[in-house]
Amino acid sequence: MNSKELISILIVIAFFLSSSANAREWYIQPTTKLRVEVDDNLRLRTEESKDVAGFRASFFTKYGTRTETSNIDLTTLLDVYRYWGQENLDREDLNWTVGSNFQVTERNQLGLDAVYIRDTSLTSEIELTGLTQILVDREKFNISPHWAYTLSELQNIQTQYTHEEVTYDNTSNSLLNSYKTDSINLSYLYQWRADTQLFATFGALQYKLTDSDQETDDYSINVGFDYNYSETLSFNAMVGARFSVNRTGSRVVVIRIGNQPIPIRIPGTENSSLGSLFSLGLKKKFESGDLDLSYSRSVSPSGSGEFLQADRFKASVSQGITERLKFSVLAVLNRSTSTDDKRDTGRTYYSIEPRLNWRFDRQTFLSGGYRYRLQEFDSRNNNAVSNGVFVTISYQWDKLSTNRF
C-alpha cells in the first residue's frame, strides 16, 4: 500500500470516528465459512493439469454506526486458501470496504466510499480476462466521494467521482499490467409512478497503464427504468452508447546492424470506436423459490492492458424442496473483447453451478455442489475445462448492537 492509499484510508477512518462519537447505534455481525473442494483444473490451463484438493476458510464481519443524519457501513473479509496437489496455490485474500452517507441539509447528502483489496489473479481475473494460469499478487484501492441532491419529492440528481489504482506484482511475466482510472458519473432519477423509476446517466472515465504510455478515454450516456410489476415480479432495462479513444505513445527501439546500435522511433497511435451499452433484468419470486435473469453489455478497465467491452449473461434459479432443503443453479456466460478495433482479442467464459443447500437452523447452513467451467480465447486453438465439487458450511452470528433510537 503506497502513501496516497494510506492517507486516503486514514481520512475514511477519521470520518468514521467523528461520526461515531455521537452514534445512536453501533452494530457488528460476523460470519464464518469453511469450503472444502476438489478441482481438476483450478487455474484453467489449456494443458493437462493435476487435480487439487483444499479448503477456503472465510471470516466476514459487517459493522458500522448510525445516527439520525449519518450511516456508515464497513465490511472486512479474510479468505485463507490452502491446497494440496500443486504448489503456489496457498494464499490469503483481504477485502475491506466502507460506505458512508451524511445528511448535510434536508436536500443535500454527501458520502465517501472506499475499497481496499489484496488478493491474487486467481481470484480477481476469472470473470473478465481469464489470466489465471500464473498466480500474481494484486492490490486494488479506490476512493469515491459522492453527492446527492433532492430536486423534489419525485426527482433527484447524484454525482460520484472515483479514483482507482490496481497494482500487480508482475515479476513472473504474467501479461498483467498495473493501471489507474479516474471517472465521474452524473445521474438523474425520476419516480414517474409508485411502481416505476426512470433514470439517465452520463459517465466519463480515463484508463491509464502505469508502466507504459497507453491510455483510453471513454464517454457514455444511457437511459433506463426500474419497474415493479407486483410484489413478486420486477423488471429493469437500460440502453445507451459509448465513445472510446485509445492512445499509445511513441517509443524507441534499438536494432543492431553489425556492431552498430541504431535507435528507431516508432510513432504513437490513436483510434476511436463507438459501441452500444444495454442491460435487461427480470426478478421473480415464487412461493418456495425465485428466478433472477440478467443480460448486459458494459465496458471495464482490465489488467490485460486493454479497455474491454464485456457481455454478461447470468441466470440464477432456486427451488425449495422441503422447509430446510433448497436446490439452486447459477449459470454465467461472459464474453469480453477489446474496445480497440485493431486488436483481434476475445475471450469467452462459461460457468454452471448446481448445488443443494441445507439449513440446520436460523444461523447454520450447509451446501454442496458441482461446478463446471470452460474458457476459450479467440487467439488459441484449444480451450480450458474445469470440473470441481465442493462442500461449504457457514455460521452467522446474531447482530450485536446498541440501539438508542
Side-chain angles (χ1 to χ4, degrees):
M1 186 186 307
N2 61 39
S3 58
K4 290 193 298 182
E5 294 171 355
L6 179 60
I7 291 172
S8 299
I9 288 178
L10 291 176
I11 292 173
V12 174
I13 293 174
F15 267 104
F16 174 73
L17 294 176
S18 63
S19 176
S20 303
N22 299 312
R24 299 296 298 273
E25 179 186 8
W26 286 74
Y27 67 91
I28 182 170
Q29 187 171 31
T31 302
T32 58
K33 292 183 180 181
L34 179 64
R35 173 182 170 121
V36 180
E37 64 178 336
V38 178
D39 200 295
D40 63 1
N41 190 4
L42 189 66
R43 294 180 176 178
L44 285 177
R45 290 177 166 173
T46 54
E47 66 271 15
E48 186 176 351
S49 180
K50 295 181 179 179
D51 295 351
V52 299
F55 69 85
R56 179 180 73 196
S58 301
F59 308 92
F60 174 80
T61 303
K62 183 177 181 179
Y63 48 103
T65 178
R66 296 188 179 97
T67 70
E68 291 90 342
T69 59
S70 66
N71 182 19
I72 301 178
D73 293 311
L74 302 99
T75 62
T76 301
L77 173 62
L78 175 64
D79 287 324
V80 179
Y81 296 83
R82 294 294 182 267
Y83 288 99
W84 296 268
Q86 291 184 31
E87 297 181 350
N88 301 321
L89 289 177
D90 295 349
R91 60 198 190 275
E92 296 82 34
D93 292 352
L94 174 65
N95 187 320
W96 181 81
T97 67
V98 58
S100 62
N101 291 292
F102 303 89
Q103 197 70 41
V104 181
T105 67
E106 184 179 354
R107 292 178 177 269
N108 286 277
Q109 185 182 84
L110 296 177
L112 183 66
D113 302 339
V115 176
Y116 174 74
I117 299 174
R118 189 185 70 239
D119 59 12
T120 68
S121 54
L122 195 54
T123 305
S124 63
E125 302 302 316
I126 186 65
E127 286 201 357
L128 190 61
T129 68
L131 299 176
T132 59
Q133 293 74 39
I134 300 176
L135 201 67
V136 179
D137 292 332
R138 183 189 78 140
E139 278 192 317
K140 175 181 177 180
F141 169 79
N142 73 44
I143 187 166
S144 302
H146 49 87
W147 169 66
Y149 181 75
T150 302
L151 298 170
S152 68
E153 291 184 356
L154 302 178
Q155 304 175 77
N156 68 79
I157 57 174
Q158 300 174 4
T159 184
Q160 176 171 300
Y161 165 76
T162 301
H163 174 76
E164 181 173 275
E165 298 186 11
V166 178
T167 305
Y168 296 92
D169 182 16
N170 204 5
T171 56
S172 54
N173 191 27
S174 65
L175 305 179
L176 289 167
N177 299 267
S178 301
Y179 63 87
K180 300 179 182 179
T181 66
D182 289 280
S183 63
I184 187 168
N185 289 277
L186 176 64
S187 300
Y188 168 76
L189 296 90
Y190 176 54
Q191 194 69 40
W192 182 40
R193 301 188 316 193
D195 58 5
T196 307
Q197 184 182 69
L198 309 178
F199 63 85
T201 302
F202 169 78
L205 182 145
Q206 184 179 69
Y207 163 69
K208 298 179 67 174
L209 298 188
T210 304
D211 300 320
S212 63
D213 191 9
Q214 180 177 325
E215 66 179 46
T216 297
D217 294 330
D218 181 78
Y219 306 92
S220 63
I221 186 168
N222 56 70
V223 295
F225 68 88
D226 295 308
Y227 173 53
N228 294 315
Y229 178 78
S230 67
E231 293 183 355
T232 61
L233 179 62
S234 62
F235 304 91
N236 63 78
M238 180 273 291
V239 62
R242 65 161 180 87
F243 174 69
S244 301
V245 180
N246 302 286
R247 302 183 187 89
T248 59
S250 62
R251 66 186 189 275
V252 176
V253 298
V254 178
I255 63 173
R256 288 184 174 274
I257 300 179
N259 293 325
Q260 183 67 30
I262 300 176
I264 297 178
R265 177 173 293 278
I266 299 177
T269 62
E270 178 175 319
N271 61 81
S272 60
S273 64
L274 287 169
S276 61
L277 302 171
F278 56 82
S279 68
L280 298 168
L282 178 150
K283 293 183 179 181
K284 173 64 178 177
K285 292 183 179 180
F286 303 98
E287 184 176 351
S288 59
D290 56 72
L291 173 68
D292 190 343
L293 300 174
S294 63
Y295 178 46
S296 66
R297 172 174 291 174
S298 61
V299 287
S300 301
S302 77
S304 64
E306 298 176 286
F307 196 66
L308 297 179
Q309 176 178 282
D311 288 84
R312 295 182 174 94
F313 172 77
K314 182 178 179 180
S316 174
V317 60
S318 67
Q319 177 62 47
I321 300 174
T322 68
E323 184 179 348
R324 295 180 179 270
L325 183 64
K326 179 185 290 187
F327 173 75
S328 63
V329 178
L330 174 64
V332 175
L333 167 61
N334 289 346
R335 170 67 181 171
S336 57
T337 56
S338 176
T339 58
D340 187 342
D341 296 334
K342 294 186 176 181
R343 296 193 179 193
D344 185 18
T345 60
R347 180 246 185 182
T348 305
Y349 170 76
Y350 308 86
S351 173
I352 186 167
E353 186 176 295
R355 66 167 67 189
L356 284 171
N357 305 277
W358 176 267
R359 179 174 58 86
F360 285 99
D361 53 38
R362 184 170 52 84
Q363 298 169 305
T364 310
F365 297 84
L366 177 68
S367 66
Y370 164 76
R371 182 181 67 181
Y372 172 82
R373 299 180 296 165
L374 184 145
Q375 175 171 265
E376 299 175 316
F377 288 95
D378 293 354
S379 58
R380 304 176 188 177
N381 294 325
N382 50 3
N383 53 41
V385 176
S386 164
N387 297 274
V389 292
F390 60 89
V391 175
T392 303
I393 186 167
S394 63
Y395 182 84
Q396 183 179 71
W397 276 263
D398 290 331
K399 181 188 291 186
L400 303 175
S401 64
T402 57
N403 192 330
R404 293 182 286 170
F405 281 99

